[in-house]
Amino acid sequence: MIVTRFAPSPTGYLHIGGLRTALYNYLYARANGGKFLLRIEDTDLKRNSKEAAEAIVEAFKWCKLDFDGEMVYQSSRFDLYKEYVQKLLDEGKAYKCYMSKDELDALRKEQEAAKQRPKYDGRYREFNGMPPEGIEPVVRIKAPLDGVIEFNDGVKGEIKFNCADILDDFIIARSDGTPTYNFTVVIDDALMGVTDVIRGDDHLSNTPKQIVLYEALGFKVPKFYHVAMINGSDGQKLSKRHGATDVMEYKKMGYLSEALLNFLVRLGWSHGDDEIFSMDEMKKLFDPTHLSKSASTFNQSKLEWLNSHYIKTVSFERLVDELKHFGLNLKEIKHAKLLVDSLRERSKTLVEMANSAKALLNKPKEYDEKAYKKFINENSLNLLAKFSEILDEDLNASGYEEKTIKFLEENEAKLKDLAQPLRVAITGTSVSPSIFEVIEILGSKEVKERIEKLINK
Ligand code: GLU
C-alpha cells in the first residue's frame, strides 16, 4: 500500500508551496487507495507547534484535504528517538564525540585556510579512552566516507552522490540529547510506514544523509520524488515579495479552494495539455512520474482565470455559502439566484462578486463623477422620469425588456439613451450586468425610488 505524508515544520501558517507538496502526497495516496499522513516537525520547541498545527488543519479543512489517522507531533516522540540513538550506539554504528566548540572552530578555520570543505575529521570515531571532563557529547553516525550513494528519484531520475564530497560523520543527537532533523525524519518515515516521499527539491541534499541513516537502522528506504520549486514572476524563489504565501490569504482574497488546488496541481505536474482538473479528476489522474523537473512560475493571472472558471461553474448554494464570508447574506434576497447567476459570469474573485452584489443591492450613496457628467443631463433625466412611470408592476427580465422597447418606440428614443442613465441611477456607475436583469432583481419599486433619488439630487 502507498503511504505518503506531509511533514511541515511549524511556521504559523501553511505556505502555498507547502500546500502543493501536501496536495501531491494526498493525491498520490488517494489515487492508489493508500494512506496520507500528517506529521508536525516541531522538534525546535521554541516555536508554538500547537498554533502552527491548527493553522495547517484549518487550511486543510478549507481545501477539503483529509489525512488518515492522528496527526503526529515529533515533539511527543523524543523518547522514541533516544531509543534509536541508543540502538545505533550499542551496535557501534554511532558514537559519542567530545569535541569542544573551540576545537571544532579551530578545525573549521584550518580547513578553510587549506581551501578544504569544512567537515568533521572523525577524531572520536574509534575513541575508547576516558571522556574529557565537562563536555556533554554529541552523537555522530559512522557515515560511509568513500563510495557513492545512489538512488532513483521519481522526478529527477538516477542520482549519485560521492560520499567523500558531501558526507562526514554528521550529528544525530545534540549535546542536550535532542535529535537532529535528518534523524527524526528517518525514524518517523520508517515507523509510520511511509513508502513514498514527495517533497521540494530543496531537500535533495538531505537525502544522502537520510539514506545513510535508513541503512544504519536497517529500514527500507522509501521512494523519493524531489519536485522543482515554485518561482515568482522574476524567476526567484517564491516569497512574500511576490504576493501572499499564506494559503488562508487566498481565501480572504476571494479564491475558491478548487481554483487554488487546480492552480497548484498544474504548477509542477501535467496531464497532456489539460488545465482544468476537478478534485475527482486529480485523484484519478495524478501520477508522480509526470511531475516536472524544472521550476514553475507562479502566475497570478492564471489563478484568476481558474477562479473565474470555478465561480462560473460551482453550484448556486455553494456561492451563497462562500459569499457569506464576504458580508453578503443572500438568504434574504428574493432574486438571489438571478443576482448570483448574472454576477458569476463577470467576477474574478468572490470579493469582486460580493462588492458588485452589494453595490447593486444598496441604493447608491454617490454617483461616479465621470459617469454622471457623461450620461446625466436634462434630456436623460426627462426620459428617466417618464420611464419611471411605466414601472408599475414586477416583471421578469424579458417582461421588462418588452415593456422598455415599447416605451422607447413611443418616445422615439433608443436603448442607449436610456440604459446608461438608468445604470447611473441604479448603481451610481455606468457598469452593471444586463440592465433588465438588474431591474428584475431589484423590482419596480426600488428602481423607481433610485430614479427619483437621482432626479432630486
Ligand atoms: N519539515 C520539512 C519542511 O517543512 C519537510 C521534511 C520532509 O518533507 O522530508 O521543509
Side-chain angles (χ1 to χ4, degrees), residues 4 9 50 58 67 83 107 111 138 156 173 179 196 216 251:
T4 64
S9 307
K50 194 161 169 281
E58 187 195 11
F67 54 91
E83 226 176 83
L107 175 66
Q111 289 167 332
V138 297
K156 297 186 184 289
D196 295 78
K251 180 179 182 202

Side-chain angles (χ1 to χ4, degrees), residues 5 7-9 39 41 181 185 189 197-199 202-203 210:
R5 48 67 164 181
S9 307
R39 179 173 78 231
E41 307 219 308
Y181 163 71
V185 169
D189 280 342
V197 172
I198 306 176
R199 62 185 175 192
D202 50 339
H203 282 287
Q210 294 178 6

Side-chain angles (χ1 to χ4, degrees), residues 8 37 62 68 80 104 174 206 281 316 331 349 379 420:
L37 312 176
W62 178 54
D68 296 299
L80 188 73
L104 251 175
R174 301 181 189 90
N206 288 320
E281 282 164 338
F316 165 68
K331 288 262 153 63
T349 66
N379 287 343
Q420 290 303 69

